């Protein structure tokens, strides 16, 4: 089998970094850059090198802004952000060296295997929110949050965000060409309209990413760039809860809030959204734990409500199959998933009977 010949960019970059990095292969390319897998010769570790396309590097203002903002992004240090190790220019080449993530981007992962499991959706989106919050606190807006810019580690599935700030640097000084920085499927209305954007624009894009991760479909669908632009400006996406099962209601409502057209209606910060997701994760885990402890077939959200009723009578119950063990029941106050009081009473009565049988009383 004959291997494809290296590209002109591959050969030029290898010549520029010879002795420091050994290029292995091209990982991918797009309008904003070409990414190569390389080995850091001195540290004997794999890295990724992103090269600014030569046609853009030839524009002095684009080149300067790219370097300035890439160096600013290199100052970010967060476990959910792909680190930038070096930002350099050699002759006509402009590039930066970043950590190599052994894994897969969220976008290809969903296209290959379908939506994430509910627990993974919440974990990944929260990790991305923490990363965005870290960048926003330092004055950096991503402007191109999307599944393809979220990398998932092969071991453990940790989410890492890539390409902070680079889309903005290209957008700011590229001659008018009808091309917007960002990805129309995930762009906020204010970014589409050319208004000044802030952290809340990234939250809109994160909401669209969460929608895709949970359902395998876009919140607003079209067959053209113009169609996506029109829909994000004028149409309201369907409620996530109407399409995704297994996610806490408050989480789906939080995602819906991120997709509000008016930035003021969204969360004020990515950190606020991350904290809301954390609260939903904890509640879901409590519900699962309680249902498991009961050993009944009661639906998990409803078991949590019954557990609170039990907690009103006693903080502890002893139960088990072989050995009786003492377990603390966690109090839960979310009644949003239960509105049938007669059914609640039936569940309560059946659960009490079950516990009396288990604990011998």
């Amino acid at each position: 089998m004959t291997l494809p010949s290296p590209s002109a960019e591959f050969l030029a970059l290898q010549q520029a970094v010879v002795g420091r990095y050994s290029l292995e292969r091209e990982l991918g390319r797009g309008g904003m850059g070409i990414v190569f897998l390389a080995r850091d010769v001195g540290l004997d570790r794999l890295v990724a090198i992103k090269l600014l396309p030569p046609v853009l590097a030839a524009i002095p203002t684009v080149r300067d802004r790219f370097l300035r903002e890439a160096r600013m992004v290199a100052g970010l240090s967060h476990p959910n952000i792909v680190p930038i190790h070096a930002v350099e220019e050699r002759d006509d080449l402009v590039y930066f060296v970043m950590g190599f993530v052994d894994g897969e981007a969220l976008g290809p992962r969903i296209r290959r295997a379908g939506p994430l499991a509910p627990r993974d959706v919440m974990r990944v989106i929260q990790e991305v929110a923490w990363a965005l919050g870290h960048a926003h606190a330092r004055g950096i807006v991503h402007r191109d949050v999307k599944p393809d810019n979220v990398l998932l580690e092969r071991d453990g599935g940790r989410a890492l965000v890539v390409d902070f700030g680079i889309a903005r640097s290209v957008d700011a000084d590229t001659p008018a060409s009808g091309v917007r920085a960002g990805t129309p499927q995930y762009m906020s209305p204010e970014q589409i309209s050319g208004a000044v954007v802030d952290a809340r624009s990234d939250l809109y894009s994160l909401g669209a990413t969460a929608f895709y991760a949970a359902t395998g479909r876009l919140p607003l669908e079209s067959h053209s760039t113009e169609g996506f632009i029109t829909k994000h400006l004028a149409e309201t996406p369907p409620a996530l809860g109407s399409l995704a099962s297994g996610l806490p209601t408050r989480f789906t409502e939080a995602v819906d809030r991120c997709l509000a057209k008016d930035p003021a209606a969204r969360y004020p910060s990515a950190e606020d959204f991350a904290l809301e997701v954390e609260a939903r994760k904890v509640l879901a885990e409590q519900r699962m734990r309680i249902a498991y402890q009961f050993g009944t077939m009661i639906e998990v959200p409803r078991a949590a409500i019954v557990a609170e009723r039990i907690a009103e009578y006693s903080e502890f119950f002893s139960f088990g199959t072989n050995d009786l063990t003492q377990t603390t029941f966690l109090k839960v106050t979310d009644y949003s998933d239960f509105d049938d009081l007669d059914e609640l009473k039936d569940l309560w009565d059946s659960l009490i009977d079950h516990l009396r049988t288990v604990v011998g009383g």
Side-chain angles (χ1 to χ4, degrees), residues 166-187:
I166 308 306
R168 177 175 59 183
S169 68
V170 174
D171 178 55
D173 292 299
T174 303
S177 62
V179 178
R180 291 178 175 85
T183 304
Q185 292 90 327
Y186 300 93
M187 287 172 66

Side-chain angles (χ1 to χ4, degrees), residues 112-352:
R112 174 180 60 81
L116 298 181
R119 180 179 294 185
D120 290 335
V121 172
M122 290 189 289
R123 176 185 56 79
V124 167
I125 296 305
Q126 183 188 37
E127 289 176 354
V128 175
W130 286 131
L132 293 174
H134 178 81
H136 295 161
R138 288 152 183 80
I140 299 174
V141 179
H142 193 292
R143 292 175 62 96
D144 196 22
V145 177
K146 60 182 179 180
D148 284 9
N149 279 338
V150 177
L151 306 182
L152 304 178
E153 284 186 330
R154 194 176 312 280
D155 296 330
R158 176 173 57 134
L160 293 96
V161 183
V162 70
D163 276 357
F164 270 95
I166 308 306
R168 177 175 59 183
S169 68
V170 174
D171 178 55
D173 292 299
T174 303
S177 62
V179 178
R180 291 178 175 85
T183 304
Q185 292 90 327
Y186 300 93
M187 287 172 66
S188 69
E190 62 269 28
Q191 185 175 351
I192 289 173
S193 63
V196 175
V197 301
D198 57 21
R200 295 169 298 179
S201 178
D202 279 352
L203 278 178
Y204 184 94
S205 300
L206 180 57
T209 297
F211 195 105
Y212 185 71
T215 66
R217 54 163 285 183
L218 296 167
L220 295 168
E221 297 184 317
S222 178
H223 297 294
S224 67
T225 296
E226 293 75 14
F228 281 117
I229 288 173
T230 299
K231 290 194 173 187
H232 279 292
L233 287 173
E235 292 189 16
T236 300
L240 175 57
S242 68
L243 298 174
S245 60
L247 288 167
T249 301
R250 298 295 176 82
F251 174 79
T252 61
E253 290 175 348
V255 172
D256 294 341
R257 180 177 173 183
C258 287
L259 288 168
K261 300 299 182 193
D262 182 0
R266 301 171 203 153
Y267 288 90
S269 72
E271 184 177 40
D272 288 324
F273 174 63
L275 290 172
E276 179 67 17
V277 175
E278 177 66 21
R280 296 307 105 198
K281 283 174 56 184
V282 170
L283 180 57
E285 289 168 0
Q286 288 177 348
R287 288 171 167 176
M288 292 178 66
R289 176 181 173 185
I290 292 166
Y292 175 77
Q293 290 171 342
F294 286 166
T296 69
M297 297 301 292
I298 294 176
E299 186 179 346
V300 172
R302 299 179 178 183
I305 296 168
V306 176
E308 184 190 21
R309 292 289 302 277
I310 294 174
E312 293 174 0
Y313 289 85
S314 175
E315 184 178 3
F316 299 100
F317 271 91
S318 296
F319 69 97
T321 53
N322 297 319
D323 298 326
L324 296 181
T325 58
Q326 198 168 60
T327 303
T328 302
F329 285 100
L330 303 174
K331 294 193 68 173
V332 180
T333 57
D334 183 1
Y335 289 84
S336 62
D337 292 319
F338 203 107
D339 54 12
D340 188 333
L341 295 181
D342 289 335
E343 189 176 356
L344 174 60
K345 181 179 181 300
D346 292 340
L347 286 172
W348 166 256
D349 292 340
S350 64
L351 183 56
I352 289 299

